[in-house]
Amino acid sequence: MRVAVVRFPGSNCDLDAVQAIRTVPGMKADLVWHEDPAISGYDAAVLPGGFSFGDYLRAGAIAARSPALRHVSRMADGGVPVLGICNGFQILVEAGLLPGALLKNTTLKFVCKWTNVRVENTNTPFTRAFKEGQILRVPIAHSEGRYYLPERDLRRLEDDGGVAFRYCDERGRAVESANPTGTLGNIAGVCNEMGNVVGLMPHPERATESILSPSGSSDGRHIFESLLRND
Amino acid sequence: MIRMISGELRLGLTPREIETVRKVLGREPNETEWAIIDAEWSEHSSYKSSKKMLKLLPTTGRRVLLGPGYDAGVVDVGNGYVITLHIESHNHPSAVDPYGGAATGIGGVLRDILSMGSRPVALLDMLRFGDVARSNHARWLFTNVVRGIADYGNCVGVPTVAGDVEFDESFERNCLVDVACVGLARKEKLILGESKNPGDVLVLIGGSTGRDGVGGASFASKNLTAGSETERSSVQVPAPFTKKLLIDAILEAAETGLIGGMKDLGGGGLSTALSELASKGGTGVDVELTKVRTRHNEMTPAEIMTSESQERMILVLAPHGSEPVLEILKKYDVPHDVIGRVTAAGSMKVRVDGKVVADLPVELVTGAPLIPWGSKKPNLAGRQAAARPADPKIASSLLALMSSPNIADRSWVYRQYDHEVGTRTVVKPGDGDASLLRMPNGRMLAVKADGNSKHSSLDPRSGGAGCVAEACRNVVAVGAEPIAMVDHLQFGDPSDPEVYWSFQESVEGIADYCSELGLPVVGGKVSFYNEDSSTKVAIKPSPIAMVVGLDDRMMRPMSWFAASGESIFAIGRTKPELGGSEYFESVLRYAGGSVPKADPAGDKRLYRAVLKLVKYGLAAAVHDCSKGGLAVALAEMCIPSAVGASIDLARVPADTPDPVDLLFSESHGRFVLSSRDRKGVEKILKASGVPYSMVGRTEGKMLQFSRGRRRLAAVGVGRLAKAWRDSLPEMMD
Amino acid sequence: MSKVGLFSVKVVVSNAEGASDPEGETIYRDLVSKSGFTQVKGIRSGKFLRISVEAPDAKTARELVAKMCDDLRIYNPAAHSLTVEV
């Protein structure tokens, strides 16, 4: 399994993502510059976190018009797994590959902390290794992560299994007190209809080694390991 | 087009300095030359008021590869890896434009780390503001400084992992915004800020040159005035995205091994960068200003030479064979222009369209004469301690301390910073006394910075030593051995003999402590002229020390009680040292008394003993005692896991029987440690010769204090937690 | 008694004249220029506020908003420039 980690000007979790993927036996990861057409040749693409183009205009808005997204878009249409982490999620949304919008947190502040996230849909190439309802410990770090979709579209997204991850408490309840950003329905990540394009605000690449986790977990790793599972 | 005459010459030079320049040069310098000398002879760039004192600091050690004098100190951390350390402040710009000033302050310190060819891997922020509980202005500064740091640091992808915040009325209009940065590099990839080879070309890269920041070094070397708000030219616009590209481009270019020398453009702009490159390299420079990308039409040569526009660096490259470096700059869209070359002449030549507009000996530009300021011991009022109240009201005093902005939970600040990016942060802000970063050589690096202006204002010598001691304790508490430090010395106007006396005392205090402990000071910064723009009162003396420590064990204690049934030890002696304490300030509203004195010889034994306990896995939790004393340290250990503790004050090793001293004195050289193996701990402590005693156990949901059988006070951990956690958010949101 | 009307006052806060504007410059360089809009020669960004004010006339409305922006630090004169239009 060869994964392209797409590096945009201003990406800053690109090296972390490459390092995290490489800890999974059987997976290779390369950094690919956003103008490099080689992206198309990979088995999966990861758009990493950071501040592509400084997050100017809106987070992800400029990167969504970069050459990389033409390739990523074709890969997505062809069923190739595409994962957007944090800024990568914002880019996928701005590029129209995932529905909705990511607005400023209700606190209007950047927030960096470890959260509990519940897996809602195990039928994507990035969640196959989980059981439905499984709780992951993963950190967030962003100021524009409040997922938003108009009421009617949200209902359809929920009905179609488009919600991939939801913030929850330690017992797995998606309660308001476990919502760090005011995001709609505690949504932390979504997927497209085909399920091959997934975006999430938490950073699995920061949670792949137990030494990095305050609770000693390494849950983020399974997101990348899922890619090796066929169903 | 370059305008030749500006018509307004605002020099910060003294009449004596002006005379020196004329005498050495043997002629009247022109306007451009005056501007160059003015920038480089500013306090900010020349250290002319402090250099003599700084020589007292120990700067060498077995791990020190490069001490003060370069853009960053370099420390060997083993297996071919080095760390680089630098500290800066951006006080005056932040007082006028807190958002932009704080952000560009980070930009500056990052460039210093980058110019050594090292990757910036951690930022620390040490902030000082007025009374946020009462002052709107202090809250405005605090909010925007933190937002500026967050927006900039988060964007460039360097984690902000630690820091320190203190509030005092003396910072009401002159806030302090200090930033320290740690870099990481392979030893053989280090690059120095020097131009050794005549014939090499000088390449200016990064942002364009504008009027922003013209005279910034002089701005930082003057007192703030009421008119400073409109000194617009001195305010710089933060451009973190440009900086991120610069970081990526330079780190990739440094890998080629083709960069002969590198220097960031900070205070004093091109003038300072060029003269220091040449001075360090023993060469000269010859530059053509029409090659400099300018943002405005009609900038004068003086403005171009002293502009402090952000995100610029100078590379020294061989005239041939440097194409790979230029290719990398192109890939990242980083503008780059050859603006001149290195010469053998030892002079700094500046041209416009080939015509020389400035020609100065490098030695003159970098040779600002030192200023022998007078010094006078002030009458430090209130040496005697405050009258003690008959009933110390322990419970309510402790709750008041927990909610004091100087002690309260800092998560309002550090949650706004990305402290995880880079996936190196093993112990995160709030989870330990210091933060711990993993390094590629398999070892851990502990980092923390501290300062205490309340102690320093009453006794600057003890305050100076104390800030180093506190930072060392924090590093030791996470199981790391202190290996190096950088300091930042911040004072009022040095021409005031009493201010200068406090500076001298502080430096001597730091020097004595570090010499005895064997802790090298590998770099630092001095910032004078910090005084209130309207009252003209100087800030409290504010030395700050950032200490780094090395840890090669996987054994790491927590900083809080995790379970009931552990034995609690007080290690180190408590003395009646309530002077400048938080108890005096926030409970008794009194400033005075005799401040804590650090004992480096005793601390050396103490650190060794605590590190041994950690190494043998005997320490379940370790936390140092500092602001608020033993009582606050214990409360902070109870809060995270909501575990209570019962403490017998009669057992605390102390020179005083007074419960107020025992609870709230801020004596240095003390730790609280908990363990499940009482005998094991006692065995090691007994052999170490440090004062210690088992003072209680973890149990229940209350923090209880007794003296022998007499119960003194009990407070619910829930109440302590609420007071501590809600304080800053309630003030700020 | 003088008549009072409701005025819509537009406030734009942008980086001070002559200072750089990284946001506008990035949008211009990396989005607009690279997408082929070569006719566009520059972009400056800012923050826009529309403020409804009760005042006897437009001039008073404008002055009130300008003073409010000063008093409440809606912009920082050290770093920004302000335009107020009715």
Side-chain angles (χ1 to χ4, degrees):
Chain A
M1 172 65 69
R2 290 170 68 242
V3 182
V5 174
V6 184
R7 183 183 214 190
F8 298 92
S11 295
N12 65 28
C13 305
D14 45 347
L15 294 170
D16 298 351
V18 167
Q19 199 185 0
I21 295 168
R22 285 179 182 165
T23 64
V24 179
M27 292 189 75
K28 290 197 169 77
D30 292 327
L31 269 188
V32 186
W33 187 240
H34 75 122
E35 289 171 333
D36 188 342
I39 296 168
S40 317
Y42 283 81
D43 304 323
V46 170
L47 310 194
F51 289 72
S52 57
F53 298 96
D55 270 6
Y56 291 129
L57 201 56
R58 282 185 314 282
I62 299 179
R65 304 284 171 280
S66 99
L69 264 290
R70 284 199 293 276
H71 303 299
V72 170
S73 183
R74 265 199 301 276
M75 291 162 83
D77 291 345
V80 175
V82 175
L83 178 69
I85 302 168
C86 196
N87 192 231
F89 183 16
Q90 293 162 336
I91 294 169
L92 291 174
V93 164
E94 285 290 343
L97 293 176
L98 288 172
L102 287 155
L103 308 179
K104 244 188 184 330
N105 301 343
T106 41
T107 56
L108 302 180
K109 284 198 196 78
F110 189 93
V111 57
C112 178
K113 65 193 271 192
W114 282 71
T115 60
N116 296 303
V117 167
R118 192 173 77 197
V119 182
E120 300 289 280
N121 178 344
T122 56
N123 211 7
T124 83
F126 299 98
T127 53
R128 272 180 208 140
F130 299 106
K131 288 195 275 296
E132 200 174 308
Q134 194 171 335
I135 302 166
L136 320 181
R137 288 282 292 160
V138 275
I140 56 166
H142 60 257
S143 57
E144 293 176 47
R146 180 161 62 95
Y147 190 75
Y148 176 78
L149 207 58
E151 183 73 40
R152 213 189 52 203
D153 299 342
L154 179 69
R155 235 173 299 139
R156 209 173 57 213
L157 182 81
E158 293 270 9
D159 292 346
D160 295 350
V163 177
F165 301 99
R166 231 186 275 276
Y167 297 110
C168 62
D169 63 11
E170 309 84 62
R171 289 197 270 160
R173 296 170 306 184
V175 289
E176 185 56 39
S177 59
N179 185 337
T181 57
T183 183
L184 213 58
N186 281 34
I187 291 174
V190 302
C191 62
N192 66 351
E193 275 179 36
M194 237 195 291
N196 65 318
V197 180
V198 175
L200 78 168
M201 290 314 294
H203 286 270
E205 82 281 11
R206 297 181 182 186
T208 54
E209 296 170 76
S210 57
I211 190 174
L212 296 171
S213 161
S215 62
S217 60
S218 54
D219 299 332
R221 210 180 139 87
H222 306 308
I223 289 188
F224 303 114
E225 279 174 351
S226 289
L227 279 172
L228 295 173
R229 299 232 182 158
N230 297 311
D231 63 342
Chain B
M1 188 178 118
I2 295 175
R3 197 161 53 106
M4 290 312 293
I5 298 295
S6 80
E8 47 172 316
L9 203 54
R10 291 189 305 167
L11 290 185
L13 299 171
T14 65
R16 199 178 72 103
E17 289 168 341
I18 290 173
E19 262 330 290
T20 308
V21 172
R22 287 180 177 140
K23 218 171 94 194
V24 173
L25 206 56
R27 64 176 169 85
E28 179 70 20
N30 64 33
E31 184 186 297
T32 307
E33 291 169 333
W34 275 128
I36 291 170
I37 294 167
D38 182 49
E40 182 61 17
W41 285 26
S42 68
E43 190 62 56
H44 182 87
S45 305
S46 72
Y47 294 83
K48 59 191 173 187
S49 299
S50 58
K51 225 177 210 167
K52 205 177 128 224
M53 289 304 300
L54 299 178
K55 292 213 169 91
L56 297 177
L57 299 169
T59 58
T60 55
R62 70 183 174 95
R63 295 187 176 278
V64 180
L65 295 182
L66 215 53
Y70 286 87
D71 282 352
V74 182
V75 181
D76 194 326
V77 289
N79 305 83
Y81 284 91
V82 297
I83 54 164
T84 53
L85 303 173
H86 189 65
I87 191 164
E88 281 268 3
S89 62
H90 231 204
N91 302 339
H92 286 180
S94 302
V96 178
D97 172 17
Y99 179 83
T104 50
I106 300 180
V109 78
L110 284 174
R111 278 195 308 277
D112 284 304
I113 292 299
L114 203 53
S115 72
M116 309 293 295
S118 58
R119 174 183 291 278
V121 294
L123 286 165
L124 294 87
D125 281 284
M126 290 64 70
L127 311 176
R128 301 290 182 266
F129 301 98
D131 183 355
V132 278
R134 285 177 195 82
S135 155
N136 274 329
H137 184 69
R139 281 193 290 269
W140 177 74
L141 289 172
F142 188 23
T143 301
N144 286 290
V145 161
V146 171
R147 197 166 58 85
I149 292 166
D151 281 359
Y152 198 101
N154 297 347
C155 184
V156 295
V158 181
T160 301
V161 300
D164 183 41
V165 192
E166 190 186 50
F167 303 95
D168 187 279
E169 272 170 14
S170 76
F171 306 119
E172 173 70 16
R173 268 166 293 266
N174 196 130
C175 57
L176 303 185
V177 177
D178 296 359
V179 201
C181 188
V182 182
L184 183 67
R186 301 265 327 160
K187 198 167 164 179
E188 74 273 12
K189 298 284 184 191
L190 273 181
I191 297 169
L192 299 186
E194 52 190 27
S195 54
K196 278 186 168 157
N197 306 317
D200 278 1
V201 293
L202 298 162
V203 185
L204 178 62
I205 73 166
S208 57
T209 301
R211 282 206 184 91
D212 44 339
V214 167
S218 296
F219 179 51
S221 310
K222 282 189 294 196
N223 295 317
L224 273 179
T225 59
S228 295
E229 282 251 339
T230 50
E231 287 203 23
R232 293 175 187 213
S233 67
S234 290
V235 172
Q236 303 135 315
V237 178
F241 174 52
T242 309
K243 168 55 63 55
K244 172 67 174 135
L245 296 179
L246 203 60
I247 293 174
D248 289 342
I250 284 178
L251 290 176
E252 201 170 318
E255 282 297 312
T256 64
L258 293 170
I259 301 176
M262 182 154 48
K263 187 88 188 158
D264 85 295
L265 272 68
L270 266 176
S271 293
T272 300
L274 290 171
S275 60
E276 289 180 7
L277 274 172
S279 167
K280 283 262 166 15
T283 55
V285 292
D286 190 335
V287 295
E288 170 58 56
L289 293 189
T290 52
K291 303 287 185 195
V292 176
R293 277 172 215 229
T294 52
R295 201 178 310 132
H296 314 286
N297 286 327
E298 305 198 332
M299 280 179 77
T300 65
E303 284 172 333
I304 296 172
M305 286 303 289
T306 60
S307 158
E308 292 180 9
S309 288
Q310 287 287 297
E311 321 310 358
R312 299 177 304 155
M313 312 266 288
I314 285 226
L315 307 187
V316 184
L317 298 176
H320 305 290
S322 298
E323 290 76 14
V325 172
L326 304 180
E327 282 306 312
I328 291 164
L329 295 172
K330 258 181 225 149
K331 170 181 160 187
Y332 288 97
D333 270 338
V334 173
H336 50 279
D337 305 286
V338 175
I339 62 160
R341 60 193 174 79
V342 181
T343 63
S347 69
M348 189 169 166
K349 269 203 174 92
V350 180
R351 300 170 191 266
V352 172
D353 287 321
K355 190 170 151 282
V356 175
V357 296
D359 186 355
L360 294 166
V362 169
E363 262 174 50
L364 170 70
V365 180
T366 55
L370 305 186
I371 306 178
W373 293 115
S375 149
K376 179 172 156 269
K377 182 175 180 174
N379 176 22
L380 291 167
R383 297 296 304 193
Q384 75 285 18
R388 307 292 174 89
D391 174 6
K393 293 192 181 130
I394 293 170
S396 64
S397 297
L398 180 54
L399 285 166
L401 289 178
M402 295 311 285
S403 66
S404 153
N406 282 320
I407 286 174
D409 181 14
R410 265 84 182 101
S411 60
W412 183 87
V413 178
Y414 63 72
R415 287 274 167 259
Q416 298 188 51
Y417 303 149
D418 187 344
H419 42 75
E420 304 261 1
V421 61
T423 56
R424 292 184 189 87
T425 320
V426 170
V427 173
K428 305 164 203 294
D431 291 351
D433 286 7
S435 287
L436 211 50
L437 305 168
R438 63 171 174 179
M439 293 188 291
N441 62 357
R443 309 188 81 179
M444 299 278 175
L445 187 75
V447 294
K448 182 67 171 88
D450 285 293
N452 189 321
S453 67
K454 327 261 178 184
H455 292 171
S456 289
S457 70
L458 293 168
D459 177 352
R461 182 178 291 258
S462 299
C467 69
V468 183
E470 186 181 350
C472 284
R473 283 199 303 278
N474 284 320
V475 162
V476 167
V478 295
E481 183 191 351
I483 56 164
M485 66 165 276
V486 292
D487 62 356
H488 197 327
L489 308 165
Q490 298 164 102
F491 297 85
D493 188 334
S495 67
D496 177 338
E498 296 190 352
V499 167
Y500 200 71
W501 176 85
S502 67
F503 167 70
Q504 288 178 317
E505 286 284 305
S506 296
V507 176
E508 286 173 11
I510 293 172
D512 290 347
Y513 190 88
C514 291
S515 302
E516 176 73 36
L517 201 68
L519 184 68
V521 182
V522 299
K525 194 83 197 167
V526 181
S527 167
F528 285 120
Y529 305 99
N530 293 292
E531 62 175 36
D532 193 296
S533 52
S534 46
T535 64
K536 301 292 166 208
V537 174
I539 59 159
K540 286 188 175 163
S542 300
I544 281 177
M546 173 177 79
V547 172
V548 297
L550 257 192
D551 163 25
D552 47 10
R553 296 169 296 270
M554 293 306 281
M555 206 56 87
R556 270 186 308 283
M558 319 270 289
S559 68
W560 61 79
F561 304 134
S564 288
E566 293 175 355
S567 303
I568 301 171
F569 290 85
I571 310 177
R573 192 170 295 282
T574 301
K575 299 167 195 152
E577 296 177 317
L578 277 166
S581 69
E582 197 56 33
Y583 177 80
F584 271 8
E585 177 166 314
S586 37
V587 178
L588 299 189
R589 308 262 163 226
Y590 170 79
S594 142
V595 315
K597 288 183 178 49
D599 163 24
D603 285 355
K604 210 168 164 177
R605 284 193 298 275
L606 176 74
Y607 301 157
R608 217 177 282 144
V610 172
L611 289 174
K612 203 166 184 183
L613 290 169
V614 171
K615 183 177 170 184
Y616 291 164
L618 291 166
V622 185
H623 186 32
D624 87 309
C625 294
S626 52
K627 262 198 166 84
L630 178 67
V632 165
L634 285 163
E636 286 172 346
M637 296 180 86
C638 290
I639 289 171
S641 294
V643 171
S646 301
I647 304 296
D648 180 357
L649 292 181
R651 295 192 188 195
V652 174
D655 295 347
T656 162
D658 186 333
V660 170
D661 285 322
L662 292 169
L663 288 164
F664 303 122
S665 166
E666 298 178 2
S667 294
H668 293 297
R670 295 181 302 156
F671 291 91
V672 176
L673 181 143
S674 76
S675 179
R676 279 174 287 276
D677 181 354
R678 177 181 172 176
K679 290 226 167 69
V681 172
E682 284 175 336
K683 199 174 149 199
I684 287 179
L685 288 177
K686 205 168 198 172
S688 72
V690 301
Y692 74 95
S693 172
M694 190 196 129
V695 295
R697 298 178 71 74
T698 56
E699 61 188 12
K701 298 279 176 205
M702 309 276 276
L703 176 56
Q704 306 189 54
F705 297 104
S706 62
R707 189 146 74 182
R709 297 225 179 101
R710 198 158 77 88
R711 219 174 110 146
L712 294 176
V715 198
V717 174
R719 283 182 75 199
L720 292 168
K722 192 167 168 13
W724 185 68
R725 287 198 176 115
D726 290 353
S727 175
L728 279 188
E730 274 173 7
M731 261 168 229
M732 302 305 299
D733 290 333
Chain C
M1 218 176 88
S2 62
K3 258 200 337 214
V4 172
L6 196 62
F7 293 89
S8 172
V9 183
K10 301 176 197 73
V11 172
V12 176
V13 180
S14 52
N15 284 350
E17 286 303 315
S20 64
D21 174 30
E23 172 143 28
E25 286 155 22
T26 304
I27 295 169
Y28 170 66
R29 188 184 61 233
D30 287 314
L31 183 62
V32 175
S33 295
K34 283 185 182 165
S35 305
F37 286 87
T38 52
Q39 309 89 325
V40 177
K41 297 300 176 200
I43 293 179
R44 276 186 84 79
S45 69
K47 188 171 266 186
F48 174 75
L49 306 170
R50 188 161 58 210
I51 301 174
S52 305
V53 193
E54 264 182 4
D57 54 62
K59 184 167 169 281
T60 315
R62 191 185 168 285
E63 282 167 3
L64 183 128
V65 168
K67 183 173 182 313
M68 179 183 79
C69 289
D70 274 338
D71 291 352
L72 304 183
R73 294 231 193 215
I74 283 179
Y75 76 117
N76 183 347
H80 303 136
S81 69
L82 181 79
T83 54
V84 183
E85 283 171 24
V86 184

